Amino acid sequence: MKLIKKIAAIMFAFMMVFSLSTNAKAESGSQEGGQKGTITISNAIKDQDYKIYKILDLESFNSTKGSEAYSYKLTNDEWANFFKTGGPGNEYVNIDDQEYVTWKGENTDARAAELAKAAIAYAKDTTNSVTAVNVDQANISKTPNTNGTVTLTYSNLDLGYYLVDSSVGALCSLDTTNSTAEIEEKNSQPTLEKTIVKGDEENAKYLKSTTANIGDSIHYHVQITVGKGANNYVFHDEIASGLKYHENDIVPFSVQITTSKAGTVKLESNDYSLHLDENKTSFTLTITDSFIQNLSAGDKIYLDYFATVTADAQTDVALTNTAYLNYGNNQKTNEDYAKVYTYQIPVFKYTIKDGEKALSGAKFKLYRDSKDVNHIVKFNKNSNTYTHTYNSTGNVEELESGTDGYVYINGLSAGTYILEETKAPDGYNKLKDPITITVNQKSDGTKEITASNVDATGTVKVLNNKGSLLPSTGGMGTTLIYLIGGALVLGSGVVLMNKKRAKAK
């Protein structure tokens, strides 16, 4: 028992000595002693550009708990002006006649964040001629983390009070390299989503793909979710051939930002600049940093604008509108797409004669939803008589099949249509009943056509039966009988006359 007590006492004494010898990792040092520092950024975003600025020199320090002391001095570059009287940093520090710097006022995280924000703005103002610390690549290390981020370490730095900025956005972090400083990246990347709006405001649906008639207006909607600390927001939009922007609806943008601070606010004209390229197939919208920095992570920026489907739009293919956001140091969000389809309905006119025989000259009218004069579909007159392009104000209402038997109906949205034959080809019987055509959009955007509830496999087939020749009482039949009878009578007369002459002799 006595042995156990002795062993316990020895172990307790050892633990006491060890704990005293490792008290808070106390450290001291100075620039004159040649000491260097390290900054480590944990959870750094891969491929982002980080800049570090030494905004104060650290002449010497003592980090022993209870006896902490740090001797900061103004730098000999443009950062000195930031802290001197009249500079934005002067509100936060006192400067004595030897240019030693001490904190002024309440020492809180909120005030430190304010100072960092002011320092970032000062660094980005090119008139201040501030440059980041040029760190040799040999003194920068990157260690991948399991969550996709990296641990970024800058070593061999002069002791000082440092500001760290990233291309995602200002870290708003200030720290002292005495001799190590650890900063966690808390910025996040913005995200973007693009959709097409269908329906009114109360019943709006947000779709990735839709169908349209030529001439229809397309309402595009973009939602940008703001990332924490990000800056340099430049929105890009590119439109496909067959679509045309409503220029008057681009400038000014209908933009609403739902913020955690102020509810819904508008983006004023001095908060952005817009450039529409000379071909009018794309535009960029640059939002000022002063506006973005008033937002919080998770706030939404909504962009709404419009385009028209033009007469040269290709049918049955996606008319794609592409959008993305550049931010930070030319970083880029995901590209997102919204697709519009306008369809062709091919109609094939034929009869059965040794297989399918194409028939030209058949004429049709097309109605939308129901056979009503107010629902007739109109078309432009096309150089190809048998290809018809939809136009809501067109002057063509009757469609005609070509020598190949086809009528090509271009530029229609998904829906229900009624096809009525108004004239059959010469010698053929006109259809008794109109054909109901249904055009559906499949999940991949392509069309599916049924005709009178039968799968049309892409083409609506219209069969005509040939009329038959009926007998006639005034034809060549009786004429031939008369001719033959007359010939017989004439022949009989000739024979009779010859017999009489023979007897007379």
Side-chain angles (χ1 to χ4, degrees):
M1 189 68 176
K2 289 181 180 180
L3 180 60
I4 293 174
K5 287 182 178 181
K6 286 182 179 180
I7 293 172
I10 292 170
M11 289 182 65
F12 181 77
F14 176 80
M15 291 173 64
M16 288 289 291
V17 171
F18 181 79
S19 64
L20 288 173
S21 67
T22 58
N23 180 26
K25 293 186 180 179
E27 189 177 3
S28 63
S30 67
Q31 297 280 16
E32 287 78 4
Q35 188 168 359
K36 296 293 184 178
T38 299
I39 293 178
T40 298
I41 304 173
S42 61
N43 292 323
I45 299 171
K46 188 178 179 180
D47 298 326
Q48 300 300 312
D49 181 26
Y50 291 85
K51 294 181 180 180
I52 58 176
Y53 300 89
K54 184 160 70 75
I55 63 176
L56 290 172
D57 290 330
L58 180 62
E59 191 173 82
S60 62
F61 69 94
N62 184 344
S63 64
T64 303
K65 189 173 181 180
S67 302
E68 296 93 343
Y70 294 84
S71 179
Y72 297 105
K73 291 196 74 172
L74 293 180
T75 59
N76 291 322
D77 57 20
E78 292 300 325
W79 280 108
N81 295 326
F82 174 76
F83 288 105
K84 287 181 177 178
T85 302
N90 187 253
E91 180 183 345
Y92 302 92
V93 299
N94 293 308
I95 304 172
D96 67 14
D97 55 3
Q98 292 182 288
E99 296 191 336
Y100 284 104
V101 178
T102 55
W103 189 255
K104 180 195 296 183
E106 190 176 6
N107 191 343
T108 63
D109 290 342
R111 291 198 74 223
E114 289 176 10
L115 174 59
K117 188 173 181 179
I120 285 292
Y122 185 83
K124 291 183 179 299
D125 186 343
T126 56
T127 62
N128 294 322
S129 302
V130 171
T131 57
V133 175
N134 185 18
V135 183
D136 192 292
Q137 289 298 314
N139 295 322
I140 302 175
S141 67
K142 297 179 182 179
T143 305
N145 298 323
T146 57
N147 62 358
T149 64
V150 297
T151 298
L152 185 61
T153 302
Y154 297 87
S155 58
N156 202 34
L157 299 174
D158 291 336
L159 301 185
Y161 193 46
Y162 282 85
L163 172 74
V164 181
D165 177 33
S166 83
S167 59
V168 181
L171 282 176
C172 288
S173 291
L174 293 161
D175 218 327
T176 303
T177 53
N178 60 326
S179 58
T180 61
E182 294 188 4
I183 300 171
E184 182 180 1
E185 168 67 276
K186 295 180 180 179
N187 287 314
S188 57
Q189 302 179 63
T191 60
L192 178 147
E193 181 181 8
K194 179 160 192 171
T195 53
I196 295 171
V197 182
K198 283 286 190 178
D200 56 29
E201 188 173 345
E202 291 184 1
N203 302 299
K205 294 182 179 179
Y206 297 88
L207 309 173
K208 299 300 292 181
S209 175
T210 190
T211 70
N213 302 303
I214 285 175
D216 282 357
S217 178
I218 308 300
H219 178 181
Y220 291 107
H221 178 79
V222 173
Q223 175 183 290
I224 299 171
T225 301
V226 176
K228 182 178 180 180
N231 53 18
N232 298 335
Y233 278 28
V234 182
F235 173 74
H236 297 259
D237 192 88
E238 185 174 351
I239 208 163
S241 174
L243 294 167
K244 182 180 180 182
Y245 292 120
H246 293 193
E247 292 180 47
N248 291 336
D249 291 332
I250 292 182
V251 184
F253 267 75
S254 172
V255 180
Q256 293 182 325
I257 296 89
T258 304
T259 74
S260 56
K261 301 174 184 176
T264 300
V265 298
K266 293 267 185 166
L267 188 67
E268 302 297 339
S269 58
N270 61 341
D271 293 322
Y272 69 88
S273 61
L274 182 138
H275 173 71
L276 181 65
D277 82 324
E278 62 180 44
N279 295 322
K280 300 182 180 180
T281 57
S282 66
F283 68 84
T284 56
L285 176 74
T286 303
I287 305 176
T288 63
D289 279 349
S290 59
F291 185 87
I292 293 296
Q293 287 168 4
N294 284 325
L295 304 180
S296 300
D299 288 349
K300 312 293 183 184
I301 300 176
Y302 300 111
L303 309 179
D304 289 272
Y305 48 98
F306 299 82
T308 296
V309 182
T310 62
D312 61 351
Q314 285 186 273
T315 58
D316 301 335
V317 298
L319 307 176
T320 303
N321 192 236
T322 307
Y324 63 90
L325 183 75
N326 280 127
Y327 63 95
N329 186 25
N330 203 33
Q331 301 304 122
K332 181 179 175 181
T333 64
N334 58 298
E335 288 188 352
D336 205 14
Y337 311 92
K339 298 179 180 180
V340 178
Y341 290 81
T342 188
Y343 296 129
Q344 179 188 85
I345 303 175
V347 177
F348 179 57
K349 186 69 173 175
Y350 73 104
T351 190
I352 299 295
K353 183 181 179 181
D354 299 326
E356 294 181 353
K357 177 186 176 183
L359 296 177
S360 63
K363 294 185 178 180
F364 303 91
K365 286 187 177 181
L366 188 70
Y367 301 85
R368 196 186 300 273
D369 296 326
S370 64
K371 187 185 170 186
D372 183 288
V373 67
N374 295 317
H375 291 175
I376 194 165
V377 182
K378 297 182 179 182
F379 301 88
N380 275 338
K381 188 172 183 179
N382 199 299
S383 57
N384 180 346
T385 309
Y386 312 112
T387 299
H388 306 80
T389 300
Y390 171 76
N391 184 342
S392 60
T393 60
N395 55 10
V396 176
E397 294 183 356
E398 203 164 43
L399 315 174
E400 184 176 352
S401 63
T403 54
D404 62 355
Y406 276 91
V407 179
Y408 296 99
I409 306 172
N410 289 340
L412 295 177
S413 65
T416 301
Y417 299 90
I418 310 299
L419 184 70
E420 176 190 31
E421 185 174 40
T422 57
K423 180 185 179 303
D426 293 342
Y428 290 83
N429 300 331
K430 189 172 67 174
L431 291 182
K432 176 184 176 183
D433 298 315
I435 298 173
T436 299
I437 301 171
T438 303
V439 182
N440 290 317
Q441 183 181 35
K442 297 193 290 187
S443 59
D444 63 357
T446 59
K447 70 188 178 189
E448 178 182 61
I449 296 179
T450 57
S452 294
N453 297 321
V454 176
D455 183 5
T457 62
T459 299
V460 177
K461 290 187 174 183
V462 182
L463 172 65
N464 270 136
N465 292 316
K466 186 177 181 180
S468 61
L469 181 64
L470 299 178
S472 172
T473 58
M476 283 295 290
T478 55
T479 301
L480 288 172
I481 292 171
Y482 293 147
L483 290 173
I484 294 169
L488 290 172
V489 170
L490 181 60
S492 297
V494 171
V495 171
L496 184 61
M497 286 179 68
N498 287 335
K499 283 183 177 182
K500 287 182 177 181
R501 286 176 182 174
K503 288 180 179 181
K505 292 178 177 181

